[in-house]
Amino acid sequence: MAFLQEIVALGLLVLCMTAAVSSHSRHSRYTPPNVVRLTDAFSHVSIAQEYSTFFGGSNTKLLNNGSSANLALDKSSGSGLVSRNKYYYGFFSAAIKLPSGLSPGVVVAFYLSNADNYPHNHDEIDIELLGHDMRNDWALQTNVYANGSTGTGREEKFYLWFDPTEQHHHYSIIWNSHHIVFLVDNVPVREFAHSSSYPSVYPSKPMSLYATIWDGSQWATHGGKYPVNYKYAPFVVSFAEMEMTGCIFNQTAIVTSCSKANPSSLDPVDGPEFARLSKEQSVAMDWARRKLMFYSYCNDRSRFKAMPPECK
């Protein structure tokens, strides 16, 4: 009997070890294709000069002469930054290091929004990083809103091929008159095309850029199944190497002339390098979507009875 108990115990130990390995093995399972490093094409901005406090000022700490920032979430509050300028289009990027340890319900967001000026028909382009629980590692959620409420969101979710808590990784957004592209370490993971066939679903109004950490217990981890456990607080995220290059909204100007003002071939508004994905980038995006995407609104028939037009 004791021998059988030892065998059962050994079997359970192996299963536990296998489960532990499998839950984290995606970090080393995949090697991304080589792509051009768009983040090397633009200068870093000073967070101290280009951002102001959005909320949770006591949980916001500027470091390295204002070139980086730590944002914290604790029982009292989350925290966030907002750009001083609003943008029509551009290239936006941040190197982000996520909180380590268990963090279900924690949401780290790097996104564009104009909800402050258009509360009932706002636009939004989201990179949201959803906290790590006992079952899964941090996940990436991308989202696009145009002229609508949160019910019109178009989410896609991805696993990451690295541990985002060990060091900084780049999360970037291209937004111009051609398309919206979400990138992780310069690898495109999603492209949302601007089409004249359905212009109302494409963000077009000036937006501010935000960097935040907050409590998303109601929805973030498995639909709100696992709330934030403040026993592990504070949850601290690091933002560095921030990039904001694009068409700045000028309230006094009737017509924007951003492209003419910046004729560089690396102009993220209308430059040829940003009008479409290269073959290399398209191959990399196909790799990311095949290997790492685990949810797309286009396949969610319980939510969208009729397939959204851009999915066709």
Side-chain angles (χ1 to χ4, degrees):
M1 186 68 177
F3 176 74
L4 288 175
Q5 289 177 333
E6 289 180 8
I7 293 295
V8 171
L10 180 61
L12 290 173
L13 177 61
V14 171
L15 284 173
C16 290
M17 291 176 64
T18 302
V21 170
S22 63
S23 67
H24 294 276
S25 61
R26 68 173 62 95
H27 294 153
S28 58
R29 187 185 308 166
Y30 299 123
T31 301
N34 291 323
V35 290
V36 62
R37 290 183 53 84
L38 295 179
T39 51
D40 290 345
F42 304 103
S43 300
H44 301 155
V45 302
S46 167
I47 295 177
Q49 294 177 10
E50 299 295 334
Y51 285 83
S52 57
T53 299
F54 179 38
F55 68 99
S58 61
N59 280 346
T60 301
K61 183 180 294 185
L62 295 180
L63 304 168
N64 302 316
N65 295 318
S67 64
S68 62
N70 283 354
L71 306 182
L73 166 67
D74 58 25
K75 264 189 174 181
S76 65
S77 175
S79 52
L81 301 167
V82 58
S83 63
R84 298 182 188 275
N85 291 315
K86 294 181 183 292
Y87 293 83
Y88 274 110
Y89 297 113
F91 179 82
F92 310 95
S93 185
I96 303 174
K97 182 181 178 183
L98 297 176
S100 58
L102 295 179
S103 48
V106 176
V107 179
V108 172
F110 181 65
Y111 66 104
L112 293 148
S113 177
N114 50 33
D116 53 341
N117 288 338
Y118 303 94
H120 302 297
N121 63 331
H122 82 292
D123 301 323
E124 198 164 304
I125 303 172
D126 297 341
I127 287 177
E128 294 170 313
L129 295 148
L130 311 182
H132 162 68
D133 61 32
M134 301 261 319
R135 295 173 55 191
N136 290 296
D137 298 324
W138 283 85
L140 166 72
Q141 175 170 284
T142 64
N143 208 346
V144 176
Y145 300 115
N147 303 304
S149 68
T150 55
T152 65
R154 288 160 156 76
E155 300 93 340
E156 289 191 342
K157 297 181 182 182
F158 302 81
Y159 293 120
L160 299 168
W161 60 91
F162 50 81
D163 184 344
T165 71
E166 290 184 345
Q167 60 187 32
H168 289 81
H169 290 268
H170 292 98
Y171 302 84
S172 312
I173 297 168
I174 296 170
W175 172 41
N176 58 29
S177 58
H178 307 288
H179 56 185
I180 296 164
V181 183
F182 298 90
L183 308 98
V184 179
D185 281 347
N186 293 289
V187 174
V189 299
R190 179 182 182 185
E191 180 182 31
F192 190 88
H194 186 190
S195 172
S196 58
S197 300
Y198 36 87
S200 64
V201 305
Y202 197 82
S204 58
K205 300 185 289 292
M207 292 192 276
S208 301
L209 185 64
Y210 296 83
T212 63
I213 182 170
W214 51 284
D215 186 331
S217 292
Q218 293 184 338
W219 66 271
T221 309
H222 304 292
K225 184 177 180 180
Y226 301 106
V228 175
N229 187 339
Y230 285 101
K231 179 177 72 174
Y232 301 105
F235 303 96
V236 180
V237 57
S238 172
F239 284 86
E241 299 182 12
M242 306 286 270
E243 298 178 4
M244 295 188 293
T245 302
C247 177
I248 296 176
F249 172 61
N250 184 343
Q251 289 182 313
T252 62
I254 299 176
V255 178
T256 180
S257 58
C258 294
S259 296
K260 295 177 182 178
N262 183 5
S264 165
S265 64
L266 288 174
D267 177 6
V269 178
D270 280 314
E273 286 85 353
F274 294 87
R276 63 186 60 84
L277 296 178
S278 67
K279 182 177 180 181
E280 179 186 68
Q281 289 172 319
S282 295
V283 168
M285 186 174 70
D286 178 66
W287 169 86
R289 297 178 71 79
R290 284 187 295 105
K291 299 289 188 182
L292 302 166
M293 188 172 73
F294 64 93
Y295 172 84
S296 174
Y297 73 101
C298 286
N299 301 321
D300 193 339
R301 293 294 173 267
S302 64
R303 185 173 163 207
F304 293 95
K305 303 303 180 185
M307 182 180 291
E310 70 275 12
C311 296
K312 300 174 184 178

